[in-house]
Structure formats: structure tokens, C-alpha cells
Amino acid sequence: MRKSMWDVMVLGAGAAGMAAAVEAGRRGRRVLVVDHAAKVGEKIRISGGGRCNFTNLGVSAEKFLGRNPRFAISALKRFTQWDFIARIDSAGITWHEKTLGQLFCDGPSTQVIDMLLRDMADSGVTLWTGCELGAVTKDGDIFRVETKRGVQEARAVIVATGGKSIPKMGATGYGYKIAESFGLPLTETRPGLVPLTFAEQELEWIKPLAGVAVQGRATAGGKTFPEAVLFTHRGISGPAILQISSYWREGEPISLDLCPGTDPAALLREAKRTAGRSQLGTALAQIVPERLAKHLAEVFQERGPMAELSGARLDAIAAGLRDWRLMPVGSEGYRTAEVTLGGVDTDALDARTMQAKSVPGLYFIGEVVDITGWLGGYNFQWAWSSGWAAGQVA
Ligand code: FDA
């Protein structure tokens, strides 16, 4: 097959790749985007429960993880959440703020994919879907990229193939291999924003709680997230747990505050005063959902009437509700993780352009880079911003 020469080849047509292609195309570059999936932007489609949480009003470096989260600041400041909101507005996509600054489409998330496809077409970008990629090499100033449609040549290559999360949706870890083949360092990768799992003996009491949700606060690895905690058949999930999963490390406990913003000691003392003959489980059900209250009464091993519990014992129980220690054994892994932590070491990249310092013309953007956002639209904003940054120069 014939070789073709492109100004820019973008590998991966997810959020970051499409954002970069639009920018490079608008600069008049001859751009080819290649993806092995039949459909582009599949993660955009399923994101935010089908409504795409496309950015967050509160974007700042503290909302990102990585060996050097400050690496993200340059791109995030030059293409901000407001810039992306302006795009969304001009495409006529209506949106709303759900909670904690999280912006969602009012309608289906496919509107965002359609906007990106339209912008790519308008800026003359060529898109190949269902096209496998092979090795990428560099000869002088020219890159050679093996594709199912033959070897392509390009002056610049932007790697936007994402991480390892949700292999069922086409995630491959391909980008890490390309980085390695050019001698770029990687940081350790692991699943992030993922439900946590427990050993069999723990599951015995967790399973009956499946479906119970509490507005709690989860703490691990020096971070605390106040949001919902959900018990499932496999362990614990919900926004607070997904957030803390990115900070939690195997072998560490998670601390749950089951009643933030309340004074459980006062509530228990009040229950003792007004309903002394009732049992602890009944009193706890005023504080947490009934099924959980029943379980906690067993954890605290109190079966007698409230009247028999001393003030000190009530204080200890209240403290237990504020700092309930659970010991997960692992996570559900890449099968369900929303993101991959770690990736191409930011030390090897230029923060302004995303270009590899040691390989002129080679760029890494989006999730493949060792920058990971919190839950809440931060990961898409990183994809848009890093894609925009590379698209300005590639
Ligand atoms: P992304 O994974 O989107 O794209 C990579 C592309 O490369 C894919 O199209 C893939 O097919 C292609 N590719 C991979 N390997 C290849 C190969 N070997 N050859 C050719 N092509 C290859 N974030 C957020 O901010 N708000 C949200 O609401 C959500 N919701 C959400 C829900 C779920 C279920 C998941 C799994 C994830 C989210 N996220 C999210 C995270 C967000 O989806 C993620 O951070 C971005 O999609 C990352 O964008 P990228 O373009 O870097 O990778």
C-alpha cells in the first residue's frame, strides 16, 4: 500500500485526540486521526450516566493527581473550563450544574461527540475508524506509523490513546508502549475512580447492605471526600469511594464518617433520655439508614437497652460512627475504573506543548499522561486542555 505524508497524525479519537485534531486542523495542518474502534468518543458517550459531565467550574491543580500535578496548570490555564463552555454554548448544547461545580449536558452526551466530529470535518481533518495501529518509528524528522491501511508518514504524532480502563471499550495501553519505544519514562499505572472490594469474610456482612447509601465522608491517603457512600454486593462504591480510591493504597484502611455535620454523641444521649428502653440499633437508625444501623449495633456488640449504656460508652460509639475503619483488599480494577492513574512521566514532556522533550514532534495528551483528575468533569477538562495545547503547535 502507498505511504501518505501528513502534517499531524493523531492516534486515538477520544476526547483529547479529537480536541487536538480540531486545533491542528484549524491551523491549516493536514491532519489524520486514527482509531481502532468502530465509533469515536465512546467514553464521552457513556460518561456522566449518558449526560457527559464535560467540565467542572472549580478546575485547579489540587483536583489532579500525578507525580507532578502542577504540570497540568499551564494547559488548564490556557484552555479553561470557560473556553470549553463557550464551545458547548456555541454548538447550542444546553447544560446544567448538578453538584460541586459539575457541568452536565441537559440532553445526551452524543451531542458533544457530534460537536467534535463537526468541528473536525469543518477544519478538514481526515478520520479513519476501525483501523488498527502498529509501531511508530522516527527517521530523521519524519515519523512512520504502521496502520491497517498501510504505513503513514507524518511530521508530528500526537498520542491520545488513553489509559487501560474499560478494555471492553477499546482501552489497550498502546500509548505506554509507544512512549517506551521512544525511551520515555512511565510512572506506575493503577486503576482510579473505582469501587473497592473486600475479602469473603467482610462480604458476608457487606452483601446484605447492598443498595444502602449514606451521605458520608471517606478518608484515606491524607484526603477526605464528603459525598455518598454506597454498599454493593462486591464492596463499597459511590462518589466518595470512587474519589478516595485514587488516593487509597492496598494494605491501608479507609475511614468513614457516617454522619458528617451531626453530633452523634448528643443524638445518642437524647435517645437514652427519651427512649431508654429501646435498643442501640433503634437509636442508630435515627442517624444512619436502618439496615446499616442494625449492622452497626452488632459491630458495637450492644444488645441491651439504651438506658444501660454509660455516657462514656455512648461517646465511644459516636466516635466509632465518625471514624469507622474498613479494610478493602483491592478494587474492581480496570474493568470498571473510570480512569488510569500514572502513565507517561510528565518530567519527559513540555508542559506548554505536551511535546516529548527528547523526541521533537512526538506529543502525549489526555489520560495516557500521568495526570488524573478527581471525579466531576476534571478528566475531560484535562483532555480538552492538553489536546488544545498540543493542537496549537503540532
Ligand atoms: P479515551 O480513552 O477517551 O480515548 C482513547 C481512544 O484511543 C479511544 O477512542 C480508543 O478506541 C483509542 N485507542 C486505544 N488504543 C488504541 C489502539 N491500540 N489503536 C487505535 N486506537 C486506540 N471524565 C469526566 O471528566 N467526566 C465524566 O463524566 C466521566 N465519566 C466517565 C465514565 C466512565 C464509565 C468512564 C470509563 C470514564 C469517565 N470519565 C469521565 C473519564 C474520561 O472518560 C477519560 O478521562 C477521557 O475519556 C480520557 O480521554 P482520552 O482522549 O485521553 O482517552
Side-chain angles (χ1 to χ4, degrees):
M1 283 197 228
R2 266 190 48 230
K3 276 183 268 183
S4 312
M5 175 64 86
W6 303 90
D7 291 326
V8 181
M9 270 186 81
V10 180
L11 313 185
M18 290 197 279
V22 168
E23 295 306 316
R26 284 181 178 168
R27 288 172 43 241
R29 312 291 278 160
R30 196 163 169 262
V31 182
L32 171 66
V33 180
V34 183
D35 201 297
H36 66 164
K39 285 187 176 165
V40 304
E42 275 295 87
K43 283 196 183 161
I44 300 176
R45 186 179 60 77
I46 60 162
S47 67
R51 291 279 185 268
C52 188
N53 176 195
F54 55 82
T55 192
N56 193 293
L57 295 175
V59 171
S60 62
E62 308 86 71
K63 313 286 172 56
F64 292 86
L65 298 93
R67 214 161 61 84
N68 174 22
R70 300 190 64 77
F71 173 88
I73 293 175
S74 170
L76 291 170
K77 282 218 160 131
R78 286 188 303 133
F79 187 82
T80 67
Q81 63 273 43
W82 305 108
D83 292 318
F84 193 73
I85 293 167
R87 295 255 169 114
I88 289 278
D89 285 343
S90 64
I93 300 172
T94 57
W95 51 270
H96 60 277
E97 181 185 347
K98 201 167 172 186
T99 172
L100 302 170
Q102 301 168 5
L103 303 192
F104 286 75
C105 298
D106 291 342
S109 38
T110 45
Q111 296 172 103
V112 177
I113 303 173
D114 292 343
M115 174 187 84
L116 292 164
L117 282 171
R118 221 168 28 239
D119 287 351
M120 285 203 294
D122 289 350
S123 52
V125 171
T126 303
L127 170 65
W128 292 353
T129 52
C131 182
E132 306 294 330
L133 287 164
V136 178
T137 51
K138 194 177 184 198
D139 187 3
D141 286 343
I142 303 299
F143 290 92
R144 290 209 168 77
V145 181
E146 288 175 11
T147 83
K148 203 170 85 179
R149 298 210 205 169
V151 175
Q152 304 297 309
E153 291 187 337
R155 292 185 179 87
V157 168
I158 302 178
V159 181
T161 45
K164 299 180 187 174
S165 24
I166 324 257
K168 225 170 64 186
M169 300 203 77
T172 56
Y174 170 86
Y176 308 126
K177 286 198 195 113
I178 299 303
E180 274 181 326
S181 73
F182 281 96
L184 302 190
L186 301 176
T187 62
E188 179 206 359
T189 51
R190 58 195 176 91
L193 300 181
V194 64
L196 297 174
T197 54
F198 288 82
E200 255 334 294
Q201 69 269 23
E202 302 281 338
L203 283 180
E204 267 175 40
W205 65 260
I206 290 178
K207 275 184 187 167
L209 294 178
V212 170
V214 269
Q215 280 304 319
R217 269 156 57 101
T219 301
K223 282 275 174 195
T224 297
F225 289 94
E227 270 184 88
V229 175
L230 175 71
F231 292 86
T232 75
H233 287 285
R234 287 186 292 270
I236 48 175
S237 187
I241 299 303
L242 298 183
Q243 297 278 34
I244 212 66
S245 71
S246 296
Y247 291 89
W248 172 79
R249 291 287 187 159
E250 270 180 39
E252 286 174 14
I254 281 192
S255 165
L256 293 184
D257 179 346
L258 297 172
C259 43
T262 62
D263 181 350
L267 292 169
L268 290 173
R269 281 166 192 266
E270 177 68 5
K272 176 178 172 176
R273 202 176 56 78
T274 57
R277 283 157 67 178
S278 68
Q279 295 203 320
L280 177 63
T282 311
L284 288 175
Q286 309 299 313
I287 304 173
V288 295
E290 201 174 334
R291 263 196 285 163
L292 182 56
K294 250 191 195 162
H295 170 70
L296 290 170
E298 279 171 30
V299 171
F300 293 120
Q301 298 189 332
E302 293 294 356
R303 290 189 182 82
M306 287 294 286
E308 284 177 13
L309 301 183
S310 68
R313 180 67 182 135
L314 292 182
D315 286 346
I317 291 170
L321 295 176
R322 305 302 296 264
D323 180 17
W324 189 28
R325 301 287 172 111
L326 297 179
M327 189 61 113
V329 286
S331 78
E332 289 189 7
Y334 291 116
R335 187 180 62 81
T336 61
E338 285 198 13
V339 287
T340 305
L341 294 154
V344 178
D345 194 334
T346 51
D347 268 3
L349 305 178
D350 178 83
R352 203 178 151 74
T353 60
M354 307 295 134
Q355 186 170 212
K357 288 175 183 165
S358 58
V359 190
L362 182 63
Y363 300 77
F364 290 85
I365 57 173
E367 197 175 321
V368 71
V369 178
D370 177 19
I371 291 290
T372 306
W374 286 5
L375 187 79
Y378 299 101
N379 285 296
F380 277 137
Q381 187 59 45
W382 168 243
W384 316 132
S385 298
S386 58
W388 180 90
Q392 300 310 303
V393 287

